[in-house]
């Protein structure tokens, strides 16, 4: 019976289900921010004195492995959590943590969904790294802990919008992990070499004009940026980039498909078409050696992309160290917004009797608010050329550490600029349970466009037609 109910919940995505009936008593979601105490890492801990039972005794967590599904390079994040556990053996003497590598959020969503449907709740992870689309799907199926009561007292401590994309129907279903802005990376040495003014790139029109000037003055050797023949063009240039910057819509407020005649879509994808059709974009797959080689040869001058690109540049483009700078993403005329932030979350999985739910909250609290421990970890990440993001803690962002200059950016502080680039950000596109399928439909048409098999106007028309035929009306959360 429970399995049938869960299947129905997952099918409609937003129907509330619960796995608590599968056995065991779930912990209470309504916890408060843990009090601070000195921890062994030298910072302030929200856990050392926060795991207390009703009789005043500390909770000692049972032996076992806390499993987290994650993407990207989770082995680096695991390093922080392993250090935390070593420093808190009084409450977790025999607890280990394992970050399981996945192919991405769609893979995480599928793994959790299929495991839940099979009834093997003991095989579900304890937590997972999620994006807004996956949060909506899994929360609708009753598979995520409700964090509203826990997070509400902490909202003023975090950057604006930290929980926005995890909020559904007024309830918060995940813990903020990062809020990273859209950023314009540009190679200052290239601009100096060809006498092109980088300041003009504050607007989208100026950005495109800079590309034209670079192409002309370099005799076609320098490209403004790149375009990917795979689904990543929609992912980075589209959904996360130009579309929110231009105020574009896939659906209207009633869930009806409007992408075919939406003014913002015409601005966003029209700009991409202008850059591509004028030969300003190098056709190559992102995050692959060919693009890194082109960057190192000074053949690609800019990237209008999320701040996450920093880690890939530092790791793969040593030859251009010191040449790069960052500024806010270009603004479209009539919109005036400098790109939209991309949020990432950690969610605790609703799996009935989960002994590590509160332990994970305590670790998240310290990862988010323990300044000294975070700085030690970030320094280690830089030494390893590993990924990290700006904190969501307002107080931590004010620490001088997050304003330190970077050799890779010629003395400019990338960390400080990442924070500044959150200012004047555009609103993200509305998230619906249909977005995963919609992204496949839209991306397929863009891929045909990049391959030269159709015009951009035909691509947009086909997106509209196929979305209406295959999905129809989307569910818009109020």
């Amino acid at each position: 019976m429970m399995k049938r109910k869960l299947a129905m919940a997952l099918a409609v995505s937003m129907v509330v289900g619960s796995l608590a009936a599968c056995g065991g008593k779930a912990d209470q979601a309504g916890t408060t921010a843990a009090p601070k105490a000195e921890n062994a890492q030298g910072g302030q801990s929200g856990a050392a004195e926060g795991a207390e039972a009703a009789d005043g005794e500390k909770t000692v967590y049972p032996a076992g492995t806390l499993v987290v599904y994650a993407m990207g390079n989770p082995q680096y994040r695991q390093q922080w959590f392993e250090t935390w556990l070593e420093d808190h053996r009084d409450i977790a003497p025999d607890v280990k943590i394992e970050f399981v590598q996945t192919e991405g959020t769609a893979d995480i969503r599928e793994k959790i969904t299929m495991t839940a449907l099979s009834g093997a709740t003991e095989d579900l992870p304890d937590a997972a790294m999620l994006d807004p689309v996956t949060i909506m799907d899994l929360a609708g199926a009753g598979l995520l802990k409700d964090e509203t009561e826990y997070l509400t007292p902490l909202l003023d401590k975090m950057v604006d919008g930290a929980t926005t994309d995890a909020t559904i129907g007024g309830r918060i279903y995940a813990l903020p992990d990062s809020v990273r802005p859209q950023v314009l990376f540009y190679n200052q040495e290239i601009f100096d070499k060809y006498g092109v003014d980088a300041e003009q790139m504050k607007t989208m029109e100026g950005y495109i004009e800079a590309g034209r000037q670079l192409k002309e003055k370099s005799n076609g050797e320098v490209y403004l940026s790149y375009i990917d023949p795979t689904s990543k063009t929609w992912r980075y240039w589209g959904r996360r980039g130009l579309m929110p910057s231009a105020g574009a819509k896939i659906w209207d407020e009633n869930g009806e498909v409007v992408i075919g005649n939406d003014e913002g879509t015409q601005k966003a994808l029209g700009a991409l078409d202008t850059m591509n059709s004028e030969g300003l974009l190098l056709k190559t797959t992102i995050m692959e050696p060919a693009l890194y080689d082109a960057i190192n040869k000074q053949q690609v001058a800019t990237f209008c992309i999320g701040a996450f690109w920093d880690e890939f540049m530092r790791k793969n483009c040593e030859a251009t160290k010191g040449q790069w700078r960052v500024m806010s993403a270009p603004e479209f005329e009539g919109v005036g917004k400098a790109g939209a932030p991309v949020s990432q979350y950690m969610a605790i999985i609703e799996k009935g009797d989960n002994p590590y739910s509160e332990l994970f909250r305590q670790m998240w609290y310290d990862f988010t608010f323990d300044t000294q421990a975070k700085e030690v970890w970030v320094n280690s990440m830089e030494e390893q050329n590993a990924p990290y993001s700006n904190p969501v803690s307002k107080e931590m962002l004010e620490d001088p550490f997050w304003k330190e200059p970077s050799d890779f950016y010629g003395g400019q502080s990338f960390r400080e600029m990442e924070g500044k680039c959150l200012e004047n950000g555009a609103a993200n596109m509305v998230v619906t349970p249909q977005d995963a399928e919609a992204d496949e439909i839209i991306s397929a048409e863009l891929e045909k466009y990049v391959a030269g098999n159709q015009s951009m106007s035909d691509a947009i028309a086909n997106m509209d037609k196929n979305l209406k035929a295959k999905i129809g009306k989307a569910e818009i959360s109020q």
Side-chain angles (χ1 to χ4, degrees):
M1 181 69 177
M2 178 64 212
K3 197 170 170 182
R4 184 161 65 252
K5 286 182 179 178
L6 178 59
M8 291 175 64
L10 289 167
V12 300
S13 185
M14 292 305 292
V15 176
V16 177
S18 175
L19 286 179
C22 292
K25 181 180 178 182
D27 69 326
Q28 296 296 315
T31 58
T32 57
K36 294 182 178 181
E38 292 294 331
N39 73 5
Q41 292 172 307
Q44 293 292 321
S45 172
E49 299 296 334
E52 294 188 359
D55 58 3
E57 295 295 324
K58 284 184 179 179
T59 298
V60 178
Y61 293 94
T65 301
L66 195 163
V67 177
V68 183
Y69 284 179
M71 55 201 164
N73 297 286
Q75 69 272 22
Y76 297 112
R77 179 64 63 85
Q78 183 165 324
Q79 292 176 19
W80 191 94
F81 284 90
E82 286 175 340
T83 300
W84 190 97
L85 284 172
E86 287 302 314
D87 290 338
H88 294 85
R89 286 305 179 194
D90 58 329
I91 61 172
D94 297 299
V95 177
K96 299 179 181 178
I97 189 162
E98 179 185 2
F99 275 68
V100 177
Q101 176 81 56
T102 69
E103 295 178 4
T105 52
D107 185 36
I108 291 173
R109 179 170 62 244
E110 181 179 359
K111 281 181 166 62
I112 292 175
T113 298
M114 298 309 295
T115 302
L117 284 171
S118 75
T121 56
E122 69 278 3
D123 293 332
L124 285 166
D126 298 285
M129 187 179 290
L130 304 178
D131 66 357
V133 175
T134 305
I135 290 171
M136 179 169 283
D137 279 355
L138 297 184
L143 288 167
L144 301 182
K145 292 283 189 183
D146 186 331
E147 304 291 353
T148 310
E149 281 71 32
Y150 177 70
L151 288 175
T152 298
L154 301 175
L155 294 180
D156 289 342
K157 290 182 159 188
M158 298 186 286
V159 298
D160 293 344
T163 60
T164 299
D165 289 336
T167 303
I168 303 167
R171 308 299 294 179
I172 308 170
Y173 288 95
L175 307 165
D177 186 66
S178 66
V179 182
R180 310 202 72 178
Q182 187 80 355
V183 171
L184 180 60
F185 296 82
Y186 63 100
N187 187 312
Q188 184 68 63
E189 189 168 300
I190 292 177
F191 281 81
D192 290 344
K193 180 178 179 179
Y194 295 105
V196 178
D197 182 11
E199 285 296 308
Q200 67 186 300
M201 297 191 293
K202 290 180 178 179
T203 67
M204 185 55 63
E205 294 74 21
Y207 180 60
I208 295 172
E209 179 57 29
R212 291 169 177 150
Q213 293 172 13
L214 288 170
K215 179 182 178 181
E216 178 184 357
K217 293 183 177 183
S218 71
N219 293 319
E221 292 185 7
V222 175
Y223 293 89
L224 177 64
S225 195
Y226 80 104
I227 191 166
D228 194 312
T230 74
S231 62
K232 291 185 174 65
T233 282
W234 169 243
R235 182 175 185 178
Y236 296 129
W237 271 116
R239 176 175 284 282
R240 294 187 180 181
L242 298 176
M243 293 288 278
S245 293
K249 297 178 182 178
I250 299 174
W251 332 89
D252 67 12
E253 61 275 7
N254 298 315
E256 301 290 348
V257 177
V258 295
I259 195 170
N261 55 17
D262 175 63
E263 181 180 350
T265 299
Q266 297 294 330
K267 279 187 177 183
L269 299 186
L272 183 63
D273 183 38
T274 297
M275 290 184 278
N276 185 52
S277 62
E278 293 188 17
L280 308 183
L281 305 179
L282 175 66
K283 188 182 294 185
T284 185
T285 308
I286 195 171
M287 300 173 192
E288 294 293 339
L291 179 55
Y292 297 136
D293 288 346
I295 295 171
N296 285 324
K297 294 175 182 176
Q298 292 193 331
Q299 294 174 335
V300 182
T302 77
F303 289 90
C304 183
I305 198 168
F308 77 91
W309 187 237
D310 161 64
E311 68 196 56
F312 292 92
M313 296 266 280
R314 286 189 289 108
K315 188 173 183 178
N316 297 283
C317 303
E318 182 71 16
T320 56
K321 180 178 180 179
Q323 300 174 16
W324 290 89
R325 306 290 186 274
V326 291
M327 61 189 290
S328 295
E331 300 176 5
F332 279 94
E333 184 179 354
V335 181
K337 292 293 183 178
V342 174
S343 299
Q344 183 171 280
Y345 297 88
M346 290 290 213
I348 299 172
I349 305 304
E350 177 60 84
K351 52 187 287 187
D353 188 9
N354 182 348
Y356 297 133
S357 293
E358 185 56 35
L359 177 62
F360 190 81
R361 288 192 187 103
Q362 293 164 9
M363 289 192 286
W364 170 85
Y365 183 93
D366 279 2
F367 185 80
T368 304
F369 297 109
D370 185 338
T371 299
Q372 293 183 38
K374 189 69 163 280
E375 290 177 7
V376 169
W377 178 74
V378 168
N379 283 331
S380 174
M381 293 302 97
E382 291 220 325
E383 289 172 3
Q384 300 175 66
N385 272 328
Y388 68 89
S389 60
N390 268 25
V392 297
S393 163
K394 291 179 181 177
E395 182 178 351
M396 194 181 295
L397 279 171
E398 290 304 313
D399 190 279
F401 177 84
W402 295 97
K403 304 178 190 297
E404 288 182 354
S406 166
D407 291 341
F408 191 85
Y409 295 94
Q412 185 184 37
S413 174
F414 177 79
R415 298 172 191 157
E416 183 176 22
M417 283 304 300
E418 180 172 344
K420 288 183 176 180
C421 288
L422 285 171
E423 300 172 3
N424 194 38
N428 272 294
M429 300 183 75
V430 173
V431 176
T432 80
Q434 288 73 36
D435 279 357
E437 183 180 359
D439 282 351
E440 292 181 4
I441 293 169
I442 294 170
S443 182
E445 299 306 324
L446 267 185
E447 289 168 50
K448 293 176 188 175
Y449 162 78
V450 176
N453 296 328
Q454 64 179 351
S455 67
M456 184 62 84
S457 59
D458 286 341
I460 294 172
N462 287 332
M463 292 171 194
D464 190 84
K465 179 181 68 176
N466 292 332
L467 285 169
K468 289 175 178 174
K470 297 178 182 180
I471 295 179
K473 193 171 183 178
E475 299 171 43
I476 305 295
S477 177
Q478 302 297 324

